[in-house]
Amino acid sequence: MRPALAAVAGALLVLTACGTGNGSGDGGVTLTITANAISGGKNAETADWTERWVIPRFEAAQKAKGRQVHVLFQPSAADDEQYKTKIALDLKSHAGADVIDLDGIWIGEFAQAGYIKPLSSVAGAEVGSWEGWSQIPPAVQGLGIFDGQKYGLPQGTDGRVLFYNKDLFRRAGLPADWQPGSWQEIIDAGAALKRSGVPVPIQLDAGTAMGEATTMQGVLPLLAGAGAEIYAGGRWTGASRALKDVLGFYRQIYTSGLGDPRLQEEAQGRDKSFAEFARGEVGILAESDYFWRAVVEPKAGVAPMPDRNAVVGYALIPAERPGSGIRGQDVVSMSGGGARVLNPNSRNPKLAWELLAFMHSAEATTAQLAGAARVTSRKDVNDKVLGVDPMLKFVADKVLPVTAYRPPLAVYPQVSAALQEATAEVVSGRTVEEAAAGYQRKLQALVGPTHVTS
């Protein structure tokens, strides 16, 4: 058992009742679903969709096949780590629900602990013939993959892009339909914005105050653009040429007046950068589609922009140079999201797979949106529902095919913190070599020298 999961599992002393396909008492079968969601509370829309749409329709579909199947939903309103602890203890004890919601970043940790198994190992060959695989881009399937094995079906996802202010671009003599082809073209655009008087030409999250936003919005997409992933082939990327190029790009921005170092040090710096962008004081900002949906959304955004659709542009994140990105890509991104897995202890694994596949069908995925425009893992659903929002359609069509995901391992948050510290050092004026060497030492202390490439 992995130490991290051993610790959290040992912290919870009370088992919940096993829900792995028990008999229902009327000759039928009972399946259970669990998620960190509850009606009227945390992630309420997931709970409502599960209870009001998934369960009655799946039960009716099974009845039409001559099967008596009952599905129960086990809600939760815990914080994420408490939920993770409960699921770990359930699985360790061969208990728990048949279908389980997990954060995608937990997949590898649970797999290494032996708590979950590849879908085909649990449910058999029918997993491979599921119609949904053809609708989920291979890169997005990576959300549920660990060590080359498919452990889960990806849920909704997102993508990182470069947002920019078209009005500021026009004043700087830059194209309104901007798409940089390299990191240098981003620097060049920032320099033009600076010459035209833009207070903050480029906002690239850096430092520890920004937390995981530094890693996901900045370091990891850039690392992918330099041709590397933070974890691959069982080893972590240390002070490699790719990592040094990333830190060098940060240093270029923050030692030449293209970015505001003070924003990176403030506790609310990210929120402040959002407000500055909305006021027309930031030219280029690296963010996920959350920025479009929830920050500058014209009516209900955190920093609403009534003229968002006309003023805010978005571009793909370029590789360092054309073709230098991971998989030989010209453009890159990073995504997050959750996945659903099967309990390997289910007494009815094939039926549990039917339920899981049903929950990820086009019809079910569309129903879960409840009329909202959000990026899903399925291309057919995105094609159907995102026509009303060109930015989200851009993410679905252009970003998802080239995206990547964080390594789903227990030590990742500590590695992420070390990356954040390295960016803080170069922003504050340390050399790239000094920051990279410090990161290398911290990484080796975390994972061991033999698990680091440099």
Side-chain angles (χ1 to χ4, degrees), residues 184 186-195 198-204 249-261 281-284:
Q184 186 58 50
I186 298 174
I187 296 294
D188 292 345
L193 290 164
K194 182 180 179 181
R195 289 193 298 270
V198 175
V200 183
I202 301 173
Q203 168 56 27
L204 181 66
F249 184 67
Y250 268 97
R251 197 170 194 278
Q252 245 186 313
I253 291 172
Y254 287 106
T255 60
S256 61
L258 299 183
D260 182 356
E281 298 169 6
V282 173
I284 302 167

Side-chain angles (χ1 to χ4, degrees), residues 75-280:
S76 173
D79 67 40
D80 290 347
E81 284 303 312
Q82 289 177 329
Y83 176 74
K84 179 184 177 184
T85 297
K86 176 188 178 302
I87 298 303
L89 183 57
D90 283 349
L91 292 170
K92 180 187 177 186
S93 305
H94 302 286
D98 297 276
V99 174
I100 302 169
D101 264 31
L102 291 181
D103 190 316
I105 202 171
W106 300 341
I107 296 287
E109 186 179 354
F110 276 65
Q112 286 186 329
Y115 293 164
I116 59 175
K117 295 179 180 179
L119 294 171
S120 58
S121 297
V122 179
E126 48 263 65
V127 170
S129 60
W130 180 52
E131 58 80 26
W133 296 124
S134 65
Q135 295 298 333
I136 303 175
V140 178
Q141 292 181 25
L143 184 57
I145 291 176
F146 180 70
D147 276 353
Q149 298 288 317
K150 295 174 179 174
Y151 283 86
L153 297 188
Q155 300 183 49
T157 188
D158 59 12
R160 272 72 190 159
V161 300
L162 298 176
F163 290 98
Y164 61 95
N165 185 304
K166 292 181 181 180
D167 287 347
L168 298 181
F169 265 53
R170 290 189 190 97
R171 292 175 205 164
L174 297 167
D177 58 349
W178 182 61
Q179 175 54 64
S182 67
W183 293 0
Q184 186 58 50
E185 291 186 20
I186 298 174
I187 296 294
D188 292 345
L193 290 164
K194 182 180 179 181
R195 289 193 298 270
S196 70
V198 175
V200 183
I202 301 173
Q203 168 56 27
L204 181 66
D205 292 346
T208 56
M210 294 285 186
E212 185 63 11
T214 290
T215 318
M216 275 294 278
Q217 266 68 287
V219 177
L220 295 187
L222 291 172
L223 194 61
E229 294 183 87
I230 192 61
Y231 178 85
R235 303 183 78 184
W236 294 86
T237 295
S240 63
R241 172 47 51 197
L243 190 279
K244 290 177 182 178
D245 286 355
V246 171
L247 294 178
F249 184 67
Y250 268 97
R251 197 170 194 278
Q252 245 186 313
I253 291 172
Y254 287 106
T255 60
S256 61
L258 299 183
D260 182 356
R262 294 168 300 179
L263 272 179
Q264 320 315 312
E265 299 169 355
E266 297 182 16
Q268 302 299 319
R270 189 174 177 218
D271 291 341
K272 187 175 179 181
S273 74
F274 293 163
E276 290 183 0
F277 186 98
R279 292 197 300 265

Side-chain angles (χ1 to χ4, degrees), residues 329-346:
Q329 295 172 187
D330 295 331
V331 291
V332 296
S333 188
M334 290 295 296
S335 298
R340 293 188 182 93
V341 303
L342 292 178
N343 188 327
N345 308 299
S346 175

Side-chain angles (χ1 to χ4, degrees), residues 440-449:
Q440 176 86 1
R441 289 192 295 270
K442 293 169 188 173
L443 183 62
Q444 289 181 340
L446 288 170
V447 304

Side-chain angles (χ1 to χ4, degrees), residues 45-46 49 101-105 130 135-137 139-144 152-160 216 288-290 293 334-340 356 359-361 364-366 368-369 372-379 381-382 385-386 392 395-396 400 403-406:
E45 54 188 42
T46 295
W49 167 75
D101 264 31
L102 291 181
D103 190 316
I105 202 171
W130 180 52
Q135 295 298 333
I136 303 175
V140 178
Q141 292 181 25
L143 184 57
L153 297 188
Q155 300 183 49
T157 188
D158 59 12
R160 272 72 190 159
M216 275 294 278
S288 77
D289 57 81
Y290 158 80
R293 292 183 287 107
M334 290 295 296
S335 298
R340 293 188 182 93
L356 178 61
M359 294 175 73
H360 288 260
S361 65
T365 302
T366 303
Q368 187 172 13
L369 293 173
R374 291 198 307 273
V375 177
T376 77
S377 62
R378 292 189 62 117
K379 184 179 184 304
V381 175
N382 291 336
V385 305
L386 296 182
L392 297 182
V395 171
L400 296 189
T403 199
Y405 291 87
R406 294 169 290 184

